[in-house]
Amino acid sequence: MGRPAAEQITPTLPAETGEIIGRKREIGEIRSLLSTTRLLTLTGTAGVGKTRLATHVAAHARRAFPDGVWLVELASLQDEQLLAVAVAEALGLQEEMPQPSTESMIDCLRTKQLLLVLDNCEHLVEACARLADALLGAAPGVRLLATSREALGVPGETPFIVPPLSLPAPGDEVTGGDVLRYDALALLAERARNIAPEVDIVSQPAAAARLCRLLDGIPLAIELAAVWLRVLSLDQIIDRLGHRLRFLTRGYRTALPRHQTLGAAVEWSFELCSVQEQIMWERLSVFAGGFDLAAAEEVCSAAPLAREDVLPLLAALTGKSIVTRETCGTRVRYRILETLRQYGQDRLDRSETTPATRRRHAEHYQRLAERNRAGWFGSNQVECFIRVVPELPNLRAALEHCLGEDLRVEEAMRIFTSLEGYWTFFGGPSEARHWIDRLLGCRQLTGRDRFGVLTVGTFFALMQGRNDLARPLLEECRLLADAWDRQGPKAVTRFLSGRLTLMEGDYQEAVRLLEPVLDWYEDDTGEITEDGVLRNAFLPTFYLALSAIFAGDPRAGGWVARCREIAEAAGSRGEIALAMWAAGIGHWSSGDLAQAASLFRSSLRLERSAGYRYSPAWFVETLAWVAAAQGSDVPAARLLGAAGTMRRLLEVSLEGFRPYHDAHRAAESSLRARLGDRRYRAAADEGASWDVNEAIGHALQEPPEAREPTPAPGPSQPELTPREAEVAGLVAEGLRNRDIAARLVISQRTAEGHVKHILDKLGFTSRAQIAAWYVNRFTAPPDG
């Protein structure tokens, strides 16, 4: 994770609008409390500005936290079992921890000094409390700043009630000079200046004070009211809103007064929208997180709204501050403010159109997932990631809908299996297993669909070395495949059986099982068959090659070469790295340690450039075996410790991988014999304390500050790595390091490192020089 730069968290976030106004007293108190407590929870009514205060204070506390300040937005998360996943995504730990759980989170953060901002905890309060309690007990350098409508109830927590903005007392005479003395009036004046410059709030201090009192000084309510200064006077707003407040106070006796006020402001704003804008508001509430224009057009365009109505309505709602506009790199996305989304959702839930709207939402994201399915296993893995990751909240919402009351198991299965590549390369098996359990619990999941989920479930169980979980799933696969007269299911089942057999250590039997399936997989490689099976010959060939190496089969070299051919034809960096690693295993097995080490390091560099984290754990492990065999005892022990930490972050059991477990034990035994238990344990513990990037850097024998080799530039055309060329292109687009990190789904520190390497290689001193070089090198028209 490393030391972050100042761009990681900013005072203004999509969840809120505008700059923070006033709040000097509250900011000072929160800063003081944050310096003395490890869990500070900002509580208060909806719309009072908890998020804005938390992010403002956090943004200005960056220097106190060497490992950064990180915001976890929880409003769109509905399933508490995915809390660890949401935190890992916010921390940018998909690279290091594709298998998030509370335990792996603690392992990763145990030695960090950082501030974690948990925003909107109220609907997940128990899960957030458990996570906070665990982090406070095990990670002494971690501090938590939470926002919630209620305290978490954790020992050691310090709650801080965020009050409404300051107001003049009823009956106080208010003059123009008082407008900036009171935060509520200052906010109204600032919003009026931006929305309707011709409206002079300073000249109407009494009316401004009356409106702010009506709204109880709640910032969001004031902002919603201020929007209407474009078309109404202050007195007209007071008159209309006053009637609404009195009506609601009579109608909702059980609501807290300030909830009544905010509800009144929201409902009043809703009623001032046109009928079409109201319908659009309601339909937008089905989106979780953000959405793009294409999604809005697909989901919201049903009678009485036509497709061509969507963009103007989106613009109108953006102009009324109901929807906010976000720029992600060169893409524009939208988000409906959470309080307003909940209001729209409540209205939509009472509407007869609810099922149809949710169905259109699920169908849109099902199509998005399916369009990317084949691309995960080829040269477009990173592009698939860029398209899918911003939509993960919506994809999860679609899965929840399809597995909810309006049960649509087939659609849920198709979304799930289409995301197999995401969980394989970037997301990790933890969340995948959550959805597998949900799907397999549906009696309606039968036949081909059930077979597809079972095979994915077996695949992820084997990735973790959980053979005990894989066996019953594989047995059911076998029963289904035997009942069908189709080759696809039989080939897939045999492949998975061969992979399990390899992991259990019966290498010759694994070769016997895997060799016959290659013909079927080699036919139409990369196509999805009518059985829903992705025909990709790489993995069967890869595991056959490993089985043959460990079995001493002389044909192993041919299968290793075939792995490389398949991977290079697909243009997939991850698979090319695995093929090189398999070749390295062959050289290690035959005693050619120098060549083995060279291939292992080349594989590790390539996987790091692609951003994967599952395979590097094994690459570091095998480099430890080579170092042990070469007599580099202390470095070998450190790498064994580092590989162990990487596996724990992945929740991978070494015992489930018999060939690797045996080699690990042999290396460990020889090192203990030469170093002695005390020296061995000290070295292994040192390696275990490294984070993933440090472990990879040590395995590659790089200097502490280097993460990739930096060759001297050539006389005219210096060569960049593929990832560096990609980063240079994004610099040419004008993206900052933070945006580059978001686009490529890497940590900001990694993005900064890439930019530094580019500057060093090209001999430049500015980003403008990089941009000019990239345009001339890659986008200039050819001569003639």
Side-chain angles (χ1 to χ4, degrees):
M1 195 158 50
R3 185 184 299 271
E7 296 170 329
Q8 277 174 342
I9 186 169
T10 57
T12 304
L13 295 170
E16 298 283 350
T17 59
E19 297 289 332
I20 194 164
I21 303 296
R23 294 291 200 187
K24 290 183 180 179
R25 181 183 64 80
E26 291 86 351
I27 290 170
E29 289 184 21
I30 294 169
R31 284 179 174 173
S32 176
L33 289 171
L34 194 59
S35 68
T36 59
T37 184
R38 292 189 53 218
L39 172 57
L40 176 61
T41 303
L42 307 188
T43 65
T45 188
V48 81
K50 300 183 293 293
T51 294
R52 190 173 296 171
L53 268 173
T55 54
H56 179 89
V57 170
H60 291 82
R62 283 187 292 259
R63 292 182 180 178
F65 298 96
D67 292 306
V69 174
W70 303 86
L71 174 68
V72 186
E73 296 179 284
L74 299 174
S76 64
L77 186 70
Q78 298 304 313
D79 192 331
E80 67 174 30
Q81 295 183 46
L82 300 180
L83 176 60
V85 174
V87 176
E89 289 174 355
L91 287 167
L93 293 177
Q94 302 100 314
E95 302 175 13
E96 302 181 24
M97 191 168 50
Q99 194 87 330
S101 66
T102 299
E103 293 74 19
S104 59
M105 190 78 62
I106 289 171
D107 274 345
C108 191
L109 300 182
R110 195 180 300 275
T111 61
K112 302 299 182 184
Q113 297 181 56
L114 58 82
L115 174 64
L116 197 60
V117 182
L118 300 175
D119 187 35
N120 285 305
C121 298
E122 51 272 349
H123 61 302
L124 302 169
V125 66
E126 292 185 4
C128 289
R130 290 193 295 270
L131 176 64
D133 192 46
L135 284 172
L136 292 178
V142 173
R143 293 189 182 226
L144 298 166
L145 177 59
T147 73
S148 177
R149 294 186 196 176
E150 60 178 302
L152 301 186
V154 175
E157 176 184 30
T158 301
F160 178 87
I161 299 174
V162 177
L165 296 174
S166 60
L167 285 164
D172 283 359
E173 184 178 348
V174 184
T175 67
D178 293 326
V179 168
L180 297 182
R181 283 182 50 212
Y182 297 101
D183 291 347
L185 274 63
L187 176 63
L188 179 63
E190 192 272 341
R191 293 296 180 259
R193 190 161 46 249
N194 292 333
I195 292 166
E198 69 280 4
V199 177
D200 183 8
I201 297 297
V202 174
S203 67
Q204 307 175 70
R210 199 157 56 245
L211 174 60
C212 291
R213 287 194 202 101
L214 267 178
L215 298 174
D216 285 328
I218 299 174
L220 179 56
I222 292 170
E223 294 189 7
L224 290 174
V227 167
W228 296 101
L229 287 170
R230 292 190 183 102
V231 293
L232 298 172
S233 70
L234 266 178
D235 287 336
Q236 286 174 313
I237 293 174
I238 290 167
D239 182 60
R240 292 170 184 239
L241 184 56
H243 289 304
R244 171 59 58 194
L245 281 166
R246 287 192 293 275
F247 171 76
L248 282 181
T249 302
R250 290 197 302 271
Y252 298 100
R253 295 291 185 189
T254 59
L256 293 173
R258 290 188 179 117
H259 283 171
Q260 295 171 358
T261 302
L262 181 60
V266 173
E267 185 159 351
W268 178 74
S269 277
F270 183 84
E271 291 187 353
L272 286 179
C273 290
S274 69
V275 172
Q276 283 196 322
E277 290 168 353
Q278 291 175 352
I279 295 169
M280 185 73 174
W281 182 339
E282 292 175 356
R283 292 179 181 177
L284 289 177
S285 71
V286 301
F287 290 104
F291 55 91
D292 58 20
L293 176 60
E297 288 175 336
E298 288 289 329
V299 175
C300 299
S301 59
L305 303 185
R307 192 180 187 92
E308 57 268 23
D309 295 330
V310 170
L311 180 56
L313 290 171
L314 200 55
L317 291 176
T318 302
K320 292 181 170 74
S321 298
I322 307 302
V323 171
T324 61
R325 181 182 182 274
E326 306 169 5
T327 301
C328 301
T330 57
R331 296 171 296 156
V332 173
R333 290 177 62 78
Y334 301 89
R335 179 192 296 261
I336 185 168
L337 295 175
E338 180 58 23
T339 301
L340 309 185
R341 188 192 71 81
Q342 291 175 8
Y343 177 83
Q345 193 171 66
D346 289 342
R347 291 188 61 94
L348 185 67
D349 288 344
R350 299 194 296 268
S351 167
E352 295 179 356
T353 65
T354 304
T357 305
R358 295 196 182 283
R359 191 170 299 125
R360 288 195 301 274
H361 177 274
E363 288 171 351
H364 173 77
Y365 287 101
Q366 175 189 321
R367 288 191 293 272
L368 182 146
E370 289 182 320
R371 283 196 299 271
N372 285 282
R373 181 175 182 182
W376 290 113
F377 299 93
S379 60
N380 295 324
Q381 285 165 359
V382 174
E383 288 76 10
C384 288
F385 191 90
I386 291 169
R387 287 191 293 268
V388 166
V389 165
E391 304 298 358
L392 284 173
N394 283 304
L395 289 161
R396 290 170 183 143
L399 280 166
E400 286 286 358
H401 169 67
C402 293
L403 294 173
E405 292 182 7
D406 183 18
L407 192 60
R408 301 164 67 83
V409 176
E410 181 179 352
E411 287 88 339
M413 183 278 306
R414 290 168 67 178
I415 296 172
F416 169 74
T417 53
S418 295
L419 292 174
E420 177 185 351
Y422 164 73
W423 284 309
T424 298
F425 294 110
F426 302 101
S430 180
E431 183 179 355
R433 282 174 47 193
H434 167 80
W435 295 114
I436 289 165
D437 292 342
R438 292 278 301 274
L439 284 160
L440 293 179
C442 296
R443 288 189 301 245
Q444 296 86 344
L445 189 73
T446 59
R448 187 183 76 179
D449 293 343
R450 186 171 183 85
F451 179 82
V453 175
L454 286 165
T455 59
V456 176
T458 306
F459 178 83
F460 284 120
L462 292 173
M463 277 185 71
Q464 292 180 284
R466 293 299 305 274
N467 301 342
D468 56 326
L469 296 177
R471 287 189 198 97
L473 299 177
L474 183 54
E475 182 57 31
E476 189 174 350
C477 288
R478 189 177 292 114
L479 291 172
L480 289 171
D482 288 346
W484 299 328
D485 187 23
R486 296 199 293 273
Q487 289 302 307
K490 288 182 171 61
V492 172
T493 301
R494 192 177 181 103
F495 158 57
L496 292 172
S497 299
R499 183 175 174 185
L500 175 59
T501 303
L502 163 64
M503 292 172 66
E504 291 178 332
D506 191 346
Y507 308 129
Q508 292 181 342
E509 177 64 10
V511 171
R512 188 189 70 79
L513 287 168
L514 290 167
E515 184 179 5
V517 306
L518 288 190
D519 288 342
W520 183 84
Y521 272 99
E522 288 275 13
D523 185 21
D524 295 327
T525 296
E527 296 297 324
I528 299 173
T529 72
E530 63 181 8
D531 297 306
V533 174
L534 180 65
R535 280 191 180 179
N536 187 315
F538 177 80
L539 284 179
T541 309
F542 173 75
Y543 286 110
L544 176 58
L546 290 177
S547 300
I549 290 169
F550 287 109
D553 191 310
R555 297 172 292 174
W559 286 321
V560 169
R562 180 60 185 142
C563 278
R564 183 67 178 264
E565 290 173 3
I566 295 169
E568 290 182 343
S572 173
R573 284 178 288 183
E575 277 79 358
I576 291 171
L578 285 173
M580 287 194 292
W581 181 73
I585 292 288
H587 285 281
W588 166 79
S589 180
S590 66
D592 187 354
L593 300 179
Q595 183 62 16
S598 175
L599 287 164
F600 290 158
R601 290 195 178 99
S602 295
S603 304
L604 187 54
R605 289 189 188 98
L606 192 55
E607 287 259 322
R608 181 177 63 180
S609 74
Y612 307 144
R613 280 297 180 266
Y614 178 81
S615 299
W618 300 114
F619 298 173
V620 171
E621 171 74 29
T622 51
L623 280 165
W625 304 347
V626 171
Q630 290 175 328
S632 299
D633 295 344
V634 171
R638 289 170 177 159
L639 291 179
L640 285 181
T645 294
M646 294 171 78
R647 285 193 300 273
R648 282 195 301 276
L649 293 174
L650 294 161
E651 294 185 8
V652 166
S653 168
L654 180 63
E655 289 75 11
F657 295 81
R658 177 65 181 276
Y660 312 150
H661 181 261
D662 288 351
H664 176 95
R665 293 294 297 273
E668 182 182 32
S669 178
S670 66
L671 291 171
R672 284 185 184 275
R674 295 196 294 267
L675 291 172
D677 283 343
R678 185 182 61 80
R679 289 184 64 205
Y680 170 79
R681 179 44 53 199
D685 288 346
E686 180 184 351
S689 70
W690 296 336
D691 64 25
V692 171
N693 287 328
E694 288 172 326
I696 291 174
H698 279 276
L700 294 176
Q701 299 179 343
E702 294 176 346
E705 295 304 316
R707 284 295 176 258
E708 288 184 5
T710 309
S716 59
Q717 295 284 329
E719 289 297 322
L720 302 183
T721 67
R723 175 50 66 92
E724 287 168 350
E726 194 171 19
V727 170
L730 297 177
V731 170
E733 288 182 31
L735 272 64
R736 295 174 297 173
N737 291 340
R738 178 182 63 184
D739 298 322
I740 292 171
R743 177 79 71 87
L744 300 180
V745 199
I746 57 178
S747 70
Q748 186 165 318
R749 183 183 180 187
T750 301
E752 292 165 355
H754 286 311
V755 173
K756 181 179 184 300
H757 294 154
I758 294 167
L759 290 168
D760 291 342
K761 286 184 178 183
L762 301 178
F764 293 157
T765 58
S766 73
R767 299 169 78 91
Q769 290 174 301
I770 295 176
W773 176 85
Y774 183 90
V775 170
N776 290 332
R777 175 80 181 271
F778 293 100
T779 64
D783 294 337

